[in-house]
Amino acid sequence: MNKPIKILISLTLLIFFTVNAANAQTQPLYTKYVNTFIGTAPLNDPKILGYELPKGWRSWAGLTFPGSSLPNAMVQLSPITAYGSGAGYQYEDTVIYGFTHTNKGHWNLCNIPILPVSNPQGNKFGSKFSHKKESSAPGFYQVYLDDYQVNVSLTSTLRSGYHKYEFKNNTNRQILFDLGKANSRVSTWRIEQVAPNAVQGFQGGENVYFYAELNTQINKLEKTDDGLRSGHAMLYLADGGTAPVELKIGLSFVSEKNAKENLEKEIGNRSFDMIRSEASQTWEKLLSTIQVKGGTEKQKRMFYSCLYRSFLWPALRSDVNGEFTDAKRNVVKTGARYYTEPSLWDTYRNKDVLLGLITPDVTLDVIKSLKDVGDKTGFIPTFFHGDHGASSIAGAYLRGIDNFDVEGTYKLLLRNANVEGGPRPYITEYIQKGYISDPDIAKPEVETKAKAGVSKTLEYSYDDYSVAQIAKKLGDTANYRILMARSKNYKNMFDPSTRFMRGRLENGEWIKNFDPQHPYYEYMYREANAWQVSFFAPHDMPGLIKLYGGPKGFESKLDSLFTLPWNPNYIARNVETMIGQYCQGNQPDHEAPFAYIFINKPAKSQKIIDYILNNLYGIGNEGLELSGMDDAGEMSSWYVFSALGLYPFSATDPKYIVTAPLFDEVKWTTSNGKTLTISKPGKGRGVTSVRVNGKINNGYFVSHDLFKTGGKITVVTN
């Protein structure tokens, strides 16, 4: 063969293999399973909810957002269809009012709404849209705005958003900055033009700064009701040009200057497709940490969607230059990335553990952020109820995440545990009496406000145990003994005559008006009834079982939890999705399905776990409904762990309860590059034994050491 032809063939083959290799790298393997719309549709089925929704109610299920985000990012760029709603977007809605740049799913955030408009009618803005002309993927969202005839595409980086608008009409193109609106209350706002194609400004409330630039000139910036909640701003773009309008926006919680720097460093002159590709690759890398074989398509879709959803909160709050606004509203720089507080009442149970297993660097900086707040305020912060920074920090520390000021953090946690004015209300009463009382109210209602004394006592007991584990590791024997003694305080709420955790009066008597099936938001229980909290002692299950008279009495009571029908007249908005008295739709009893394992009845646990996995996630006609509020990823993380067959029953302790995975094989690449393989060779679902590296395991718990060394867990079933 002649030499030039040989060279030509070689070059052709080289190009062919290079192109195919590039395609192979960009082909989505795991992001393709993620459906970001899961959790955006409302749950309406009374058979699942446990009751008929009252007229005008939308269930508090899901409350997720479908837009673009990177893991734990500052910018979460998503459409808004209803202000004042859980996450801004409701699948059943038909109008989009803007695209906002922050999110969580707790009726807050949704800052800096921006909307491209064309020939708007009056001062009412928003466009109808159809799900048929809408799509999404991790790091990407697209929708066609029917009224304005604009196709919108969105992608994002950690601190910046990238909008692309394809206008059908290339004249009268406008962009609305609806700065008087957000899910959080807006106190004030401002915007100014700072270049022919750039604006910057501020939205008060969450105190977010922004800098935005376009690829086309701004003819005019017009403000209506400047700075007021009724107000907005409109950018009028220069006519001409058929190319898509591109808007790049940087956010900062420090200054417009930092917002601009964030934008320049993270996006700069790079194209929309480049940013979108990088976002997709970031998610591919994270999701590929856990690779599953077997299972149905729906199970894989739900697994990777839940894994994705587990990594959206906490959110980054420091800029590319390291600056952030601290708890005292001062601009500081510590050398660590600064994050929002985790949604601790929800996420300490499982999500914070998952975060540490997959991205320990993020967990480390989250702990440093909590410590920074503690240094400025005197207390490690909490979220909503309990003092569960104790568990999240202790759990991370005991799993080997220890490159932080452990002694200083421990001192703050001790202060939390002993001093009034911090995250533990009524701590003095708790220390003196060993419980927190509630008043005896003649006719308590769901909305009755009191101390939630039962829930607080149980949760503080677990928090005491968590801090005690740090004390033990640090050699603080005195505090270890005190806290471990206090960790038994949960027993003081157990009424042997009713076999429930029951409220007590200040004088120690039991509250008389007691209905164990009635749910309360803050009376005796926090968003729960007596059934749902009476199995909570994850740090001392043998002690709890003993209160019920031993394994038989405990089993009988636990059976009733899952079989006693829910009273459909008992309606509390976020106590929903019932299996008997058990509530999958809210957090307080999420450990209960695993409790049978402590009396050597794993098959009973597996039956309930399987029912939840297969029937209470991805439900409804379109498979987009969740059985409860995702709560910053807790509901999703419950699914991830349960589907893998490993659950952190006590999140503080560096060990995991083993159940039957949904998949035939799981390969988990640990954070130090080892491989943990979980396999279930049999077809059955009843776990009979567990093998670790080929040897029969003693019981159903495995150590966190497997994440350090790698290894193989084989789940034997019948």
Side-chain angles (χ1 to χ4, degrees):
M1 189 182 290
N2 124 356
K3 193 172 181 181
I5 293 174
K6 279 186 177 179
I7 293 170
L8 183 62
I9 291 171
S10 298
L11 284 170
T12 303
L13 288 171
L14 179 63
I15 292 166
F16 174 80
F17 286 116
T18 303
V19 169
N20 276 283
N23 286 340
Q25 288 176 349
T26 57
Q27 282 295 315
L29 297 174
Y30 302 100
T31 54
K32 70 180 181 183
Y33 289 115
V34 176
N35 184 343
T36 69
F37 291 101
I38 289 173
T40 63
L43 178 61
N44 296 316
D45 188 345
K47 292 177 183 175
I48 296 175
L49 284 167
Y51 52 81
E52 290 273 358
L53 280 167
K55 189 176 180 181
W57 275 29
R58 187 185 195 267
S59 64
W60 285 0
L63 305 187
T64 61
F65 63 93
S68 175
S69 178
L70 290 190
N72 302 103
M74 180 186 294
V75 166
Q76 298 182 325
L77 179 49
S78 193
I80 190 157
T81 66
Y83 288 100
S85 62
Y89 180 94
Q90 300 179 155
Y91 195 78
E92 70 274 24
D93 291 342
T94 58
V95 175
I96 286 175
Y97 295 105
F99 302 97
T100 65
H101 294 77
T102 61
N103 216 299
K104 183 186 180 186
H106 274 78
W107 296 277
N108 56 10
L109 301 178
C110 293
N111 297 106
I112 322 294
I114 295 177
L115 181 72
V117 300
S118 179
N119 297 306
Q121 304 300 308
N123 274 338
K124 288 191 175 178
F125 305 106
S127 173
K128 290 182 180 177
F129 74 105
S130 164
H131 297 305
K132 293 176 182 177
K133 296 180 182 178
E134 182 185 38
S135 62
S136 71
F140 175 74
Y141 173 84
Q142 171 276 325
V143 69
Y144 186 79
L145 301 178
D146 294 332
D147 291 342
Y148 302 131
Q149 297 182 303
V150 183
N151 188 58
V152 176
S153 299
L154 309 172
T155 189
S156 57
T157 63
L158 284 173
R159 303 171 181 88
S160 300
Y162 202 145
H163 302 231
K164 182 167 71 173
Y165 308 141
E166 297 166 88
F167 285 85
K168 187 173 182 181
N169 180 4
N170 287 306
T171 60
N172 194 23
R173 300 174 301 177
Q174 301 171 35
I175 299 177
L176 171 73
F177 278 66
D178 211 358
L179 296 173
K181 295 187 176 68
N183 262 13
S184 300
R185 185 181 178 89
V186 176
S187 56
T188 186
W189 58 269
R190 67 171 182 265
I191 187 172
E192 60 179 333
Q193 186 171 348
V194 291
N197 66 331
V199 294
Q200 66 181 25
F202 169 79
Q203 189 178 52
E206 295 288 341
N207 297 332
V208 189
Y209 299 87
F210 64 90
Y211 178 89
E213 62 182 30
L214 292 102
N215 64 344
T216 189
Q217 189 166 316
I218 301 166
N219 272 357
K220 182 173 63 171
L221 167 62
E222 185 177 270
K223 293 180 247 187
T224 301
D225 291 347
D226 195 353
L228 302 179
R229 294 177 69 199
S230 57
H232 63 268
M234 187 70 78
L235 306 188
Y236 293 83
L237 307 185
D239 289 338
T242 57
V245 172
E246 294 186 344
L247 182 150
K248 304 174 184 179
I249 181 168
L251 258 58
S252 169
F253 287 78
V254 173
S255 67
E256 287 106 329
K257 179 174 175 286
N258 280 15
K260 182 180 181 181
E261 185 180 4
N262 290 342
L263 178 61
E264 289 171 343
K265 292 284 176 63
E266 292 188 350
I267 294 181
N269 293 322
R270 289 183 297 160
S271 70
F272 184 94
D273 289 343
M274 288 174 70
I275 299 300
R276 179 186 174 183
S277 176
E278 287 180 11
S280 181
Q281 289 168 30
T282 297
W283 280 112
E284 274 292 330
K285 183 178 178 182
L286 189 150
L287 297 173
S288 68
T289 299
I290 305 176
Q291 301 180 9
V292 303
K293 290 182 181 176
T296 65
E297 284 297 298
K298 180 185 176 182
Q299 287 169 339
K300 282 186 278 202
R301 185 169 68 250
M302 188 55 58
F303 175 78
Y304 285 107
S305 295
C306 285
L307 185 58
Y308 162 84
R309 188 68 59 193
S310 300
F311 283 84
L312 297 175
W313 196 264
L316 185 65
R317 285 294 179 263
S318 55
D319 295 324
V320 290
N321 64 7
E323 291 181 346
F324 61 89
T325 301
D326 71 7
K328 290 290 190 182
R329 309 305 304 164
N330 295 316
V331 175
V332 298
K333 194 175 186 176
T334 62
R337 294 168 299 182
Y338 191 71
Y339 287 92
T340 58
E341 295 154 21
S343 190
L344 287 165
W345 190 69
D346 312 302
T347 60
Y348 87 91
R349 305 163 199 271
N350 50 43
K351 210 295 284 286
D352 295 351
V353 176
L354 186 63
L355 189 75
L357 291 175
I358 293 180
T359 53
D361 59 318
V362 174
T363 291
L364 178 63
D365 282 342
V366 168
I367 293 171
K368 290 179 179 179
S369 301
L370 293 171
K371 164 72 162 48
D372 191 82
V373 175
D375 289 340
K376 309 295 167 59
T377 65
F379 298 97
I380 295 286
T382 193
F383 173 81
F384 190 62
H385 203 252
D387 181 24
H388 301 317
S391 175
S392 291
I393 293 169
Y397 177 50
L398 296 176
R399 288 175 174 85
I401 299 174
D402 56 8
N403 189 22
F404 62 97
D405 179 3
V406 178
E407 291 274 2
T409 306
Y410 169 62
K411 286 177 182 175
L412 285 166
L413 288 171
L414 275 179
R415 182 171 162 79
N416 278 23
N418 291 289
V419 178
E420 288 282 3
R424 295 206 200 185
Y426 315 110
I427 190 64
T428 303
E429 181 183 28
Y430 171 82
I431 292 170
Q432 290 174 350
K433 296 179 179 176
Y435 68 90
I436 295 169
S437 65
D438 269 291
D440 207 347
I441 294 171
K443 294 181 179 179
E445 303 293 337
V446 169
E447 303 279 354
T448 295
K449 292 188 183 300
K451 298 180 184 176
V454 179
S455 290
K456 279 189 174 66
T457 302
L458 268 55
E459 293 183 29
Y460 290 1
S461 299
Y462 182 65
D463 298 331
D464 286 338
Y465 171 83
S466 301
V467 182
Q469 303 318 298
I470 304 178
K472 182 180 181 181
K473 192 164 182 180
L474 293 177
D476 185 355
T477 306
N479 274 308
Y480 172 73
R481 288 174 177 166
I482 291 167
L483 290 164
M484 283 302 288
R486 279 168 45 174
S487 77
K488 308 295 184 185
N489 281 345
Y490 75 90
K491 296 180 180 181
N492 297 330
M493 305 313 305
F494 187 78
D495 172 16
S497 70
T498 60
R499 299 167 77 236
F500 283 107
M501 298 292 176
R502 182 175 179 179
R504 302 184 80 155
L505 302 172
E506 285 188 357
N507 65 8
E509 293 178 6
W510 299 111
I511 283 177
K512 297 178 181 63
N513 294 293
F514 176 66
D515 177 353
Q517 294 186 41
H518 199 291
Y520 302 102
Y521 290 142
E522 290 186 67
Y523 181 56
M524 294 190 284
Y525 313 106
R526 189 50 149 153
E527 296 187 0
N529 68 11
W531 279 101
Q532 290 150 15
V533 305
S534 290
F535 301 91
F536 182 86
H539 58 299
D540 186 25
M541 290 302 288
L544 181 68
I545 291 165
K546 193 173 180 181
L547 290 179
Y548 286 99
K552 285 189 177 179
F554 183 77
E555 181 179 7
S556 171
K557 192 74 171 183
L558 197 55
D559 286 346
S560 297
L561 171 69
F562 295 106
T563 56
L564 183 67
W566 182 258
N567 185 336
N569 295 315
Y570 287 169
I571 300 173
R573 195 164 200 155
N574 49 356
V575 182
E576 60 191 16
T577 309
M578 317 310 299
I579 305 173
Q581 295 294 306
Y582 172 78
C583 174
Q584 177 62 23
N586 207 17
Q587 281 69 36
D589 55 356
H590 268 187
E591 80 294 335
F594 301 90
Y596 285 108
I597 291 168
F598 290 89
I599 53 172
N600 202 29
K601 294 289 178 79
K604 282 193 167 185
S605 278
Q606 196 64 56
K607 185 177 179 182
I608 296 159
I609 293 164
D610 284 350
Y611 177 82
I612 295 168
L613 290 172
N614 293 320
N615 296 284
L616 299 182
Y617 283 77
I619 49 186
N621 293 334
E622 285 134 333
L624 300 179
E625 298 168 24
L626 291 177
S627 55
M629 186 176 167
D630 195 49
D631 276 322
E634 189 279 342
M635 195 74 66
S636 290
S637 296
W638 192 99
Y639 185 98
V640 168
F641 276 120
S642 300
L644 294 175
L646 286 182
Y647 194 83
F649 185 84
S650 168
T652 297
D653 296 306
K655 58 183 180 178
Y656 310 88
I657 206 163
V658 178
T659 58
L662 283 181
F663 308 102
D664 299 335
E665 184 181 80
V666 174
K667 283 195 178 294
W668 188 327
T669 303
T670 71
S671 59
N672 64 354
K674 305 290 185 181
T675 300
L676 175 60
T677 302
I678 308 164
S679 63
K680 186 184 76 67
K683 297 297 181 186
R685 299 297 300 165
V687 179
T688 57
S689 65
V690 177
R691 292 180 179 271
V692 177
N693 296 327
K695 296 179 181 177
I696 290 286
N697 192 59
N698 181 22
Y700 298 97
F701 276 93
V702 295
S703 168
H704 177 73
D705 288 343
L706 285 168
F707 282 94
K708 298 176 182 176
T709 62
K712 184 166 185 178
I713 300 169
T714 305
V715 183
V716 183
T717 60
N718 61 12

